[in-house]
Amino acid sequence: MKLYRYLTGPDDSAFCKRVSAALNKGWQLAGGPTLAFDPVQGRMICGQAVVKEVVGVAYTEDTVLSDW
């Protein structure tokens, strides 16, 4: 199965750690990061797409992406 996730969060070390954790679980970066300014919160928000292929497992609507 092919999996896709889009990780988002404030531009801080916690966001970087979430992306690093995904990479260490076998996810791969898909394109570059994105940045947007949240004027209500007064901070930058980051986004990063990651993908992963899992052989021998079928995707279902019940698949929990963060489990992979």
Side-chain angles (χ1 to χ4, degrees), residues 1-2 4 13 25 32 42 44 47 53 68:
M1 82 177 141
K2 292 182 181 181
Y4 169 88
S13 63
K25 288 177 114 181
M44 294 299 291
E53 187 159 354
W68 295 97

Side-chain angles (χ1 to χ4, degrees), residues 1-6 25-28 30 49-55 57-60 62-68:
M1 82 177 141
K2 292 182 181 181
L3 301 173
Y4 169 88
R5 292 176 69 192
Y6 189 68
K25 288 177 114 181
W27 292 83
Q28 296 181 1
V50 292
V51 295
K52 184 174 188 176
E53 187 159 354
V54 180
V55 179
V57 179
Y59 175 81
T60 69
D62 297 326
T63 299
V64 179
L65 299 175
S66 60
D67 286 351
W68 295 97

Side-chain angles (χ1 to χ4, degrees), residues 17-65:
K17 288 178 181 182
R18 287 180 52 221
V19 174
S20 295
L23 294 174
N24 281 286
K25 288 177 114 181
W27 292 83
Q28 296 181 1
L29 299 177
T34 58
L35 290 171
F37 182 72
D38 178 350
V40 174
Q41 302 267 338
R43 63 184 179 188
M44 294 299 291
I45 302 296
C46 295
Q48 177 64 60
V50 292
V51 295
K52 184 174 188 176
E53 187 159 354
V54 180
V55 179
V57 179
Y59 175 81
T60 69
E61 291 288 326
D62 297 326
T63 299
V64 179
L65 299 175

